[in-house]
């Protein structure tokens, strides 16, 4: 029931700020917006919408770059980092991703894994070289779309 008093809203805003500040100190989670923006509900909501749209544009650009030339995954993670400045879910996803990348990097440094990766890469390169050799033997330096039915 709304009695027209702003006391309830003020208490709600104060408790939100206390929870956000406490969570940020404990785990580094929460909004990184300046205090004057967080103090005004409409301005903070506008800020969040703007951050979401900018992050979405960067993530979409990264997704477009995946099949095209460009650092697609780096741009996608950049968009996630933009979202992580404002949204806890993005901060948690980014932490999980960093942890998994660090674990994978540590596994890649293992001598057995490195040896296996070198062997698999060598086998893959030999297969690709064989396919290219067969193609060049059969068709020469003709582009695939210019080859007439033979």
């Amino acid at each position: 029931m709304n009695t027209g008093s702003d006391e309830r809203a003020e208490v709600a805003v104060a408790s939100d700020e206390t929870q956000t500040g406490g969570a940020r100190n404990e785990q580094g989670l929460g909004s990184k917006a300046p205090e004057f923006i967080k103090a005004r509900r409409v301005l903070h909501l506008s800020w969040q919408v703007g951050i979401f749209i900018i992050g979405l544009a960067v993530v979409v650009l990264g997704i477009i770059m995946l099949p095209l030339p460009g650092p697609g995954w780096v741009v996608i993670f950049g968009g996630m980092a933009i979202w992580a400045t404002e949204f806890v879910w993005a901060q948690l996803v980014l932490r999980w991703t960093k942890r998994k990348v660090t674990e994978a990097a540590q596994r890649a440094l293992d001598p057995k894994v490195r040896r296996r990766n070198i062997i698999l890469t060598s086998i893959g390169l030999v297969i690709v070289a064989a396919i290219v050799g067969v193609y060049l033997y059969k068709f020469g330096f003709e582009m695939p779309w210019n080859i007439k039915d033979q």
Side-chain angles (χ1 to χ4, degrees):
M1 174 158 81
N2 188 0
T3 60
S5 172
D6 286 340
E7 291 177 9
R8 185 174 184 190
E10 291 172 8
V11 172
V13 170
S15 67
D16 286 344
E17 290 174 2
T18 305
Q19 289 174 354
T20 305
R24 186 181 317 133
N25 291 339
E26 288 177 9
Q27 302 172 2
L29 299 176
S31 175
K32 307 283 190 286
E35 291 300 323
F36 74 92
I37 290 176
K38 287 192 284 187
R40 293 166 183 85
R41 192 169 197 79
V42 174
L43 188 58
H44 191 226
L45 184 61
S46 302
W47 177 270
Q48 286 180 327
V49 168
I51 292 293
F52 182 79
I53 290 172
I54 292 169
L56 183 64
V58 172
V59 167
V60 167
L61 184 65
I63 291 171
I64 291 170
M65 284 185 194
L66 286 175
L68 300 175
W73 285 110
V74 173
V75 174
I76 289 172
F77 291 130
M80 287 297 297
I82 291 171
W83 279 338
T85 63
E86 196 58 36
F87 303 107
V88 174
W89 61 268
Q91 293 169 357
L92 295 174
V93 168
L94 212 52
R95 281 185 182 179
W96 179 83
T97 305
K98 286 179 184 178
R99 188 175 67 245
K100 291 298 179 182
V101 167
T102 303
E103 290 171 5
Q106 290 300 320
R107 280 194 311 268
L109 294 176
D110 181 28
K112 292 180 183 178
V113 174
R114 290 184 68 196
R115 191 176 316 114
R116 183 199 64 198
N117 289 345
I118 290 171
I119 291 170
L120 290 175
T121 302
S122 300
I123 291 170
L125 287 174
V126 167
I127 291 171
V128 168
I131 291 171
V132 169
V134 168
Y135 177 85
L136 290 175
Y137 176 76
K138 188 167 183 176
F139 301 110
F141 286 100
E142 194 69 30
M143 297 306 283
W145 49 84
N146 293 333
I147 296 175
K148 306 288 186 260
D149 291 333
Q150 293 181 2

